[in-house]
Amino acid sequence: MSNIKIKKIQNKLKEKNINTLIINRTDEFLNEYISADSERLLWATDFSGSAGRAIVSQNAATLFVDGRYTFQAKEQIDTSQISIEHLNDFSEKLSGNLIKNECLALDPRLHSIEETLKYVDLSVKSETKLYFTEDNLIDELWDNKPIRNYGLVFDHPKNFAGIESSKKLEHVIETLDKNNLGAYFLSSLDSIAWLLNLRGSDILNTPLAFAFLLISLDDKPVLYVKIDMVEPVLKARLAKYINIEPIEKIKEVFNDLKHQTKIGFDFKNSSYFFYDLAIKKNCVPSHLENPCLNPKALKNAVELEGARKAHVRDGVSVTKFLYWLKNHQNIENENEISVADKLFSFRNSNDLFHSISFDTISAIGKNAALPHYRYDKNNPIPLKKNTIYLFDSGGQYYDGTTDITRTVILGKPTQEQKEMFTRVLKGHISLSTHTFPKNTKGTDIDYLARSSLQEIGCDYDHGTGHGIGSFLSVHEAPQRISKKNMYPSVDLLSGMILSNEPGFYKEGEYGIRIENILIVKEENENLFNFENISWAPIDKDLIESSLLNSNDLKWLNNYHQTVFDKLSTFLTAEEKLWLQKVTLPL
């Protein structure tokens, strides 16, 4: 697995007298899900994960990934050219690369304001030259770089969104006024989509449109978007209260603002390029957390009901797939790709289905030990009897976004596999059934999902739960459930939607994960609990029932009864009979 591109980058650094280059995996919107033309980290390192960054110097290269991708990175990159370290160690490693009078380069479009200001401080302290590239250095080297394609930008009407976009804008403008801001610059694609009740086709499997939005107290908001791709119905609706400009004119975004206008940016999630542009236009940047972040996370009644209905339709598809998979007479004739395609075929026929919500993780055996495994389209791995198979998948529906993981045994499991699966299940149940007081953060309850594993000295190196959007990103901030040292956390509030997905991964052998989706519900003014909205059977062939206590058994049996009640009417006679069998009480 030889990587000659690192050498090309290093030669380019020598040519430009740059000592160190930071390569960040994102785009100018700082989006997690990016288009092919922004996959610079993948081009440079061959690492295909959704989170990571690299430091490339003239004589060395290091890739930084989090715990989801440690095993995957080892398999994908050329370790003779690139070393691997944990993402938590990035800042320390970078500081070690800052040497007096040497030059550190980065693309200011691909780094947040907060992050870049730290680099500025570090460079001053270390007397290092900080160079902001005008043209991305990777782009200069990338032969046959994909061209950015723009898809249809379409309306997401009130019957799905629940609230008119004009009402949402009024709330944001009130927030700006309270914070003494003259304007606010928004580049978060899911926030723009939510705020204006629009959706797009520019990011694969995530219905977002490339866009920027400037909200001003002195004039109409201005949306910068690919105008000729905006659906006429949407354009007519938006024109009533915003101006629309070509996204190609984005560098002019602050031209009409008065000098010394105080512009709000979310410093954590806005590109430094626009902060710098505002200063050059004699405006005053000021930090204000994205005012769409919390309202977007707190789903309204229409969005919540849409999510429930979408998950029932999705659960029918997953259950049909499980029936097909577990009853396949020649499973070794299938491979990771063919079974993922089969799952897609079940989803594709559903009402209100738009697309899958991310590339399906379809993993057999040792591949299941890679939490965010991607199968190789050119090398399909066959399924194998008496082996664990894991699939993590979801759908984008006009009324909701789904995400579910099931781990199944294709034959007979080992006793160790049954124990580890059951411990993961116990953690899943412990979190699902938890009641918690007001002001509880996701970091406060993460331990529940890990406790059974930690009893025997095991754990998993990823978060337990991420937020989920409403026909938006399958990973939504700010709500999450994770260890305190992993990610920042916020209070869990009624209406938030999160995943519950503990796991266990034995490198080189197998992986286990069980994922359902939860809605945070208010039990009373001081207490909250979770409502489960994912419905598909959990493989009882992998359960060691002696490890389950009475509460575990009660939850599992009730859950399976509800699965049968909700889904059975949508199944064939054979599927219904099978579902009845696999959901019988333990």
Side-chain angles (χ1 to χ4, degrees):
M1 191 192 316
S2 178
N3 185 326
I4 61 172
K5 291 170 286 189
I6 290 296
K7 289 294 183 187
K8 288 183 179 180
I9 296 169
Q10 290 170 331
N11 288 337
K12 175 66 75 172
L13 297 184
K14 291 172 185 175
E15 175 189 316
K16 291 181 174 284
N17 293 316
I18 294 169
N19 301 94
T20 303
L21 173 69
I22 302 174
I23 306 173
N24 205 15
R25 191 210 173 267
T26 190
D27 57 17
E28 64 269 37
F29 310 97
L30 303 188
N31 210 40
E32 176 186 3
Y33 296 102
I34 59 179
S35 56
D37 65 290
S38 296
E39 289 279 12
R40 298 178 180 92
L41 186 67
L42 171 60
W43 180 86
T45 66
D46 298 318
F47 168 66
S48 66
S50 65
R53 54 182 51 186
I55 296 174
V56 182
S57 67
Q58 293 184 4
N59 301 302
T62 305
L63 172 69
F64 296 84
V65 297
D66 63 29
R68 295 172 295 170
Y69 293 116
T70 306
F71 302 154
Q72 180 177 327
K74 289 176 185 175
E75 297 212 345
Q76 289 185 323
I77 72 169
D78 178 359
T79 53
S80 69
Q81 297 288 332
I82 309 167
S83 59
I84 304 171
E85 295 198 21
H86 200 284
L87 205 50
N88 291 344
D89 300 325
F90 175 80
S91 296
E92 183 180 343
K93 184 76 174 183
L94 179 65
S95 297
N97 276 53
L98 300 182
I99 300 171
K100 184 176 180 179
N101 296 327
E102 290 195 349
C103 179
L104 169 68
L106 58 87
D107 184 338
R109 293 168 181 81
L110 308 182
H111 296 266
S112 72
I113 299 167
E114 180 181 83
E115 179 185 358
T116 307
L117 291 176
K118 288 178 182 177
Y119 297 152
V120 172
D121 287 344
L122 280 171
S123 67
V124 170
K125 289 174 184 175
S126 60
E127 298 180 64
T128 302
K129 299 172 186 174
L130 185 58
Y131 172 54
F132 296 136
T133 62
E134 192 164 328
D135 298 312
N136 190 283
L137 297 189
I138 301 301
D139 293 352
E140 292 181 27
L141 297 168
W142 191 345
D143 293 331
N144 302 314
K145 183 177 183 285
I147 297 170
R148 175 162 291 184
N149 294 312
Y150 293 87
L152 184 70
V153 185
F154 54 94
D155 196 35
H156 188 58
K158 185 182 176 183
N159 60 303
F160 293 131
I163 302 174
E164 295 286 2
S165 57
S166 56
K167 297 292 184 185
K168 297 177 185 178
L169 264 170
E170 287 175 10
H171 173 74
V172 170
I173 290 169
E174 286 173 10
T175 302
L176 304 191
D177 195 30
K178 287 176 185 175
N179 286 274
N180 298 313
L181 294 173
Y184 195 86
F185 182 72
L186 195 58
S187 58
S188 168
L189 298 186
D190 63 339
S191 291
I192 294 170
W194 173 84
L195 180 61
L196 299 182
N197 288 350
L198 62 81
R199 298 296 186 266
S201 315
D202 294 340
I203 304 289
L204 185 65
N205 302 329
T206 306
L208 300 175
F210 293 131
F212 299 98
L213 182 66
L214 180 68
I215 304 170
S216 172
L217 267 61
D218 294 332
D219 206 345
K220 281 184 176 182
V222 184
L223 175 68
Y224 291 82
V225 69
K226 195 74 170 177
I227 289 182
D228 57 356
M229 298 307 296
V230 180
E231 182 184 60
V233 171
L234 173 63
K235 190 181 291 185
R237 175 172 66 79
L238 292 178
K240 297 173 184 175
Y241 46 88
I242 71 170
N243 294 323
I244 303 176
E245 293 286 345
I247 197 168
E248 293 84 357
K249 294 175 64 176
I250 189 58
K251 289 184 180 179
E252 302 171 21
V253 61
F254 304 129
N255 283 8
D256 295 332
L257 294 179
K258 298 173 185 174
H259 281 201
Q260 299 302 303
T261 296
K262 194 175 178 183
I263 306 177
F265 293 87
D266 187 325
F267 280 17
K268 292 179 182 292
N269 298 293
S270 301
S271 163
Y272 181 83
F273 174 84
F274 294 102
Y275 170 91
D276 187 53
L277 186 63
I279 291 173
K280 289 173 179 174
K281 296 296 182 182
N282 294 305
C283 295
V284 181
S286 177
H287 171 66
L288 176 68
E289 183 180 71
N290 180 348
C292 300
L293 209 58
N294 286 325
K296 176 167 58 67
L298 303 177
K299 308 296 185 289
N300 60 56
V302 171
E303 291 172 319
L304 291 174
E305 188 57 24
R308 293 183 184 103
K309 290 178 178 178
H311 279 82
V312 169
R313 294 194 299 276
D314 204 66
V316 172
S317 298
V318 171
T319 300
K320 284 177 172 287
F321 172 69
L322 284 168
Y323 166 79
W324 174 84
L325 187 71
K326 293 285 278 185
N327 292 279
H328 201 303
Q329 296 301 307
N330 299 294
I331 198 64
E332 291 173 323
N333 292 340
E334 303 290 346
N335 60 60
E336 292 172 336
I337 299 175
S338 70
V339 291
D341 290 344
K342 185 69 176 180
L343 176 55
F344 173 79
S345 72
F346 287 120
R347 275 201 176 98
N348 193 38
S349 61
N350 283 337
D351 289 344
L352 301 181
F353 180 77
H354 176 75
S355 71
I356 55 175
S357 54
F358 54 97
D359 288 335
T360 296
I361 298 170
S362 175
I364 188 73
K366 69 176 185 178
N367 295 337
L370 308 175
H372 276 217
Y373 170 74
R374 282 188 183 183
Y375 52 70
D376 182 351
K377 293 179 180 178
N378 299 314
N379 182 33
I381 306 299
L383 269 56
K384 189 177 178 182
K385 289 286 286 181
N386 301 322
T387 306
I388 276 181
Y389 170 70
L390 182 153
F391 65 97
D392 185 343
S393 68
Q396 292 286 6
Y397 297 86
Y398 291 104
D399 55 350
T401 299
T402 72
D403 184 5
I404 188 168
T405 306
R406 288 295 182 264
T407 305
V408 299
I409 185 69
L410 302 177
K412 293 184 178 180
T414 66
Q415 190 58 38
E416 175 190 284
Q417 289 169 341
K418 290 180 70 172
E419 177 181 350
M420 301 317 296
F421 181 90
T422 307
R423 289 186 179 277
V424 171
L425 176 60
K426 284 173 71 67
H428 181 93
I429 294 170
S430 183
L431 185 61
S432 291
T433 56
H434 189 58
T435 298
F436 49 95
K438 192 176 180 180
N439 302 321
T440 295
K441 292 178 168 56
T443 50
D444 297 329
I445 60 175
D446 177 80
Y447 74 95
L448 294 163
R450 302 175 190 271
S451 56
S452 184
L453 287 166
Q454 290 177 339
E455 285 175 0
I456 57 170
C458 296
D459 203 348
Y460 50 94
D461 193 12
H462 60 72
T464 298
H466 56 80
I468 292 182
S470 180
F471 188 40
L472 275 174
S473 299
V474 75
H475 290 168
E476 179 179 81
Q479 68 273 32
R480 64 166 50 251
I481 301 170
S482 65
K483 289 181 177 178
K484 285 186 164 70
N485 63 346
M486 277 187 170
Y487 303 100
S489 187
V490 297
D491 289 355
L492 298 179
L493 300 173
S494 182
M496 288 179 169
I497 302 180
L498 299 109
S499 67
N500 172 13
E501 49 183 311
F504 171 77
Y505 310 95
K506 188 172 184 180
E507 186 175 2
E509 293 194 29
Y510 63 89
I512 293 163
R513 188 162 63 253
I514 303 169
E515 177 185 19
N516 281 355
I517 303 306
L518 308 173
I519 294 174
V520 180
K521 291 190 71 176
E522 190 173 8
E523 190 171 293
N524 57 49
E525 62 181 15
N526 294 314
L527 288 176
F528 294 86
N529 57 25
F530 291 118
E531 173 193 353
N532 178 85
I533 59 171
S534 295
W535 309 108
I538 293 167
D539 193 352
K540 292 195 297 184
D541 293 338
L542 275 165
I543 295 175
E544 176 50 65
S545 56
S546 65
L547 290 175
L548 300 178
N549 61 36
S550 58
N551 288 332
D552 298 332
L553 282 168
K554 181 181 177 182
W555 181 92
L556 183 64
N557 291 337
N558 287 342
Y559 175 76
H560 272 156
Q561 183 61 53
T562 309
V563 167
F564 183 81
D565 293 343
K566 285 183 176 289
L567 307 185
S568 59
T569 56
F570 302 102
L571 305 177
T572 66
E574 293 82 3
E575 292 165 342
K576 183 175 180 178
L577 193 62
W578 173 81
L579 182 61
Q580 186 176 38
K581 177 184 173 184
V582 300
T583 57
L584 286 172
L586 277 179

